[in-house]
Amino acid sequence: MPCKAKVNEDEKIINEVCKKLNKLVKNIVHLDPNFVYIGSKEKGYYSIYNKNNYGKNMELSLNFRLYYPDKKSFYYNTEAKYLNSKDIDRYIDSKYNDSKFLYAKIEWFSVNPTRKGIGSKLIIHFLEILKSIENIEFILLSPKNNTAKNFWSTNKFVEADYSMELDRRVKNTACRRLVYKF
């Protein structure tokens, strides 16, 4: 039962993020983006994306995920080391169920027209929205090319350091990542 209450609390957070993003985009580029979400705690993340990508003289696409810590990472907790194999699964489930969002990962972001400052303006405010979510520590992304990497670097994203790559709370992928830490 407590898990159900937690899901409702998390979905309230997600709904609030969608409302803030809709207002942000509408105010800056006069587009009604219709941000929606899918996902669940059981999946380990929620995906948020805009269904309406086109407006008058404008295209915008933003797709990102809010992740919980990797469930397997709780196996490495100090308390877990002293549990027998029968109790470890219950311990991990309990810790995971109590966990909150840890980080965001930007899956896709594009704005057209480009090189007008619109993308940077949106990202600055987008970061503020994510900062307001309790416990979010950082944002990850994998730029598809040097132009994208330069855009994100200009907006204070840096190459992930070695410790970030080894963070057990994050599912590891082989791609090069940029990170924005709060």
Side-chain angles (χ1 to χ4, degrees), residues 124-139:
I124 288 167
H125 295 290
F126 171 68
L127 294 174
E128 290 302 315
I129 291 170
L130 291 183
K131 282 180 188 177
S132 71
I133 301 173
E134 186 181 353
N135 295 327
I136 294 281
E137 293 181 24
F138 50 90
I139 304 169

Side-chain angles (χ1 to χ4, degrees), residues 142 165 171-177:
S142 300
E165 297 295 328
K171 286 191 177 187
N172 201 0
T173 58
C175 57
R176 300 289 290 158
R177 296 188 279 202

Side-chain angles (χ1 to χ4, degrees), residues 53-109:
N53 298 341
Y54 302 98
K56 189 177 183 181
N57 305 320
M58 169 62 59
E59 292 178 35
L60 169 71
S61 184
L62 173 59
N63 181 331
F64 67 99
R65 289 183 174 177
L66 294 175
Y67 281 94
Y68 295 93
D70 185 17
K71 190 173 186 179
K72 293 177 184 174
S73 69
F74 293 106
Y75 180 81
Y76 298 97
N77 285 2
T78 306
E79 302 90 19
K81 292 178 183 176
Y82 302 108
L83 296 174
N84 61 39
S85 60
K86 201 187 305 182
D87 295 330
I88 191 80
D89 289 336
R90 262 192 310 224
Y91 171 82
I92 290 171
D93 285 341
S94 169
K95 286 293 190 181
Y96 185 73
N97 289 340
D98 289 342
S99 68
K100 297 184 183 214
F101 295 118
L102 173 64
Y103 68 100
K105 183 175 182 211
I106 299 173
E107 301 288 338
W108 183 261
F109 177 69

